[in-house]
Amino acid sequence: MTDRLSALLHEQADLLDVPMPTAHEVITAGRRIRRRRRLTQAGVAAAVVAVLGVGAAFVGGAAPDRSDPDTIATDPQGEPVDLGVVFAVDDTVYLDGGAAEVKMPEVAQTLYYTSAGLLVRTNKTGDSDGGAPFHFQLVGADGKAQPLDLTLGEVVPSTDPTQPYLAYSEADGDGVRVIVVDVTTGEQVARVAVTGLTDWGGWIAPPVALDGDTVYVSDFSHALAVDWRTGEVVPAEHVSPGPPTVVRGRTIAPSDAAAQVVEVDSGDVLFESRGWLRLSPDGRYAIAGEGASGVPVQDLDDGTSVDVGKGSVTYGWTTDDQLVGIVDGQLAVCSPESGRCTTSPLPDGVSSDAFVRLPGFTYES
Amino acid sequence: MARQVSDEAFSEFVHGAWPGLYRTAYLLLGDAGLAEDLVQTALAKTYAAWPSVRDVQAAPGFARTTLLNTASSWFRKRSWRNEVPTSTLPEGHHHADFSDRPAVLDALSHLPPRQRAVVVLRYYEDLSVAETAHALGVSDGTVKSQTSKALDTLRGLLGDAVIPLTTGATHD
């Protein structure tokens, strides 16, 4: 039992000399933060925020006025719904390592973790190029799928595994808007207009990455950070132009070597790789390219690295940071700490050379 | 709750919340100056975000969450990551008398920042594994492994009487 440790911690804490609070300094600092936010909002980009349910839209740099603060009060972050090892082949999504399956009305094209379930992007062909329209199904904790009332064109949407939201952008002659949708209801919870994005390649709107209260949106010249709850838009100084990747405040950026993991807030480089990088759902690990003796996986917290499996395999991630891939026609689940893998047969009817789609990939071309 | 809070009301809130927040901050950081900075930062952010606080009763929890989030962001910075705890365990601390109160804080100072935070959140704040993982922005598995490592170290410093070998898996 840890009762003794707990008791000693409380006794020790009670004996601390607690300095007198400096309420005046706190308030002064608080005002400074508030003022800085307002100035940033006014100076960087015009924002339009419509908080659905309130129905108010605000144009220009002013902070959104909220008649009902509860509608945007900070929600506690959740955990991604645990459906075991998930993957998809054609129009079937497999759960629990293949022990259960869910049929989709179209090809399951991309798998996204959310706190409400596994969100599946579907389309007719499975292709991203020319693949629109894209539809969505949410597989809940009960293993059942329900359609999401949302159809998207060729954009790059994004989820945060700890939240029940999908973010994407849309563009027309009036500019670009970042949109956040509740995947349980299909309702838009935020629309934020951003300015200054012009060239985002072959997609119909700029790619985004959702990380907490922030949607990162970028074109090929710069990236912006959009606080979708407040409408604040600021430059994302440490997020690279191009399709953004941001997980728990960490981003992937190109470097002289090849790629690096960077803290979004500070710009600190956590790790540099000679190969491409792909972050785990909680941002702790990064798959670092390919190695002859396995796939290198870097622990970004501890600074350690292991080679996972043998040879070159394309791995996705489970919700709890295990790697999942197809090795020698078997489903392999591997530890990012030991590098060891356990394998199990693919479900009946799935051939060893099938195109298996894994969470962690956007399947964008 | 009112859209903005008066200085008088917020000062009252600061005086009420400060001691508890400071104790948590000190246990997390082990440094009086840093602890004071952390609490002040958390309360300043609370002031700035006051319209988002659902009601007065929720304000202390909001401030505490903000403090933990701020501490977590500090730990994520490279300078914190590279901070190395005392590498050599002090002689004479094995099987220390657990009634020797400073020994607990001394022992905490031998843990890396993340492990220290896990211990404080789980055994001082009494958070579950999932709540601790959420507060620190890491996975449940990370919390469990960091807890296990931390308790091993603390057991070596404080003795089995404080942390019996059967601990760790039972506190969730």
Side-chain angles (χ1 to χ4, degrees), chain B residues 89-90 92-96 106-108 110 152-159:
Chain B
L89 301 185
H93 274 245
H94 291 282
H95 309 294
D106 288 346
L108 281 181
H110 290 274
D152 282 347
T153 303
L154 293 177
R155 187 178 298 113
L157 291 162
L158 298 170

Side-chain angles (χ1 to χ4, degrees), chain A residues 163-346:
Chain A
Q163 297 193 332
Y165 303 121
L166 175 80
Y168 62 96
S169 73
E170 64 179 25
D172 57 26
D174 295 331
V176 172
R177 282 164 299 282
V178 165
I179 297 169
V180 180
V181 170
D182 184 330
V183 298
T184 64
T185 64
E187 294 180 358
Q188 293 184 6
V189 294
R191 292 173 64 88
V192 182
V194 297
T195 59
L197 300 176
T198 56
D199 177 16
W200 46 82
W203 293 288
I204 62 171
V208 304
L210 174 63
D211 187 39
D213 291 349
T214 305
V215 178
Y216 296 89
V217 56
S218 58
D219 64 6
F220 289 131
S221 62
H222 66 294
L224 300 173
V226 177
D227 185 327
W228 63 265
R229 291 185 183 275
T230 66
E232 181 183 19
V233 182
V234 298
E237 184 184 352
H238 301 298
V239 175
S240 297
T245 296
V246 183
V247 179
R248 301 268 182 114
R250 293 171 174 176
T251 186
I252 306 294
S255 71
D256 291 341
Q260 55 192 12
V261 181
V262 176
E263 292 276 17
V264 171
D265 284 345
S266 64
D268 287 345
V269 176
L270 302 180
F271 176 68
E272 189 156 24
S273 169
R274 292 180 184 278
W276 43 264
L277 290 163
R278 203 165 62 253
L279 294 170
S280 65
D282 72 355
R284 174 170 179 180
Y285 299 98
I287 294 174
E290 300 170 352
S293 59
V295 172
V297 176
Q298 181 74 22
D299 185 328
L300 298 168
D301 286 357
D302 291 347
T304 57
S305 176
V306 297
D307 284 344
V308 169
K310 295 176 181 176
S312 176
V313 174
T314 301
Y315 288 103
W317 294 100
T318 67
T319 54
D320 59 351
D321 283 359
Q322 304 288 300
L323 293 95
V324 55
I326 307 300
V327 179
D328 297 332
Q330 299 243 308
L331 181 68
V333 180
C334 308
S335 164
E337 294 177 346
S338 68
R340 286 193 293 272
C341 302
T342 57
T343 59
S344 58
L346 287 169

Side-chain angles (χ1 to χ4, degrees), chain B residues 129-147:
Chain B
V129 168
E131 290 167 335
T132 303
H134 174 211
L136 296 175
V138 299
S139 69
D140 287 7
T142 298
V143 171
K144 290 176 182 174
S145 65
Q146 298 278 295
T147 302

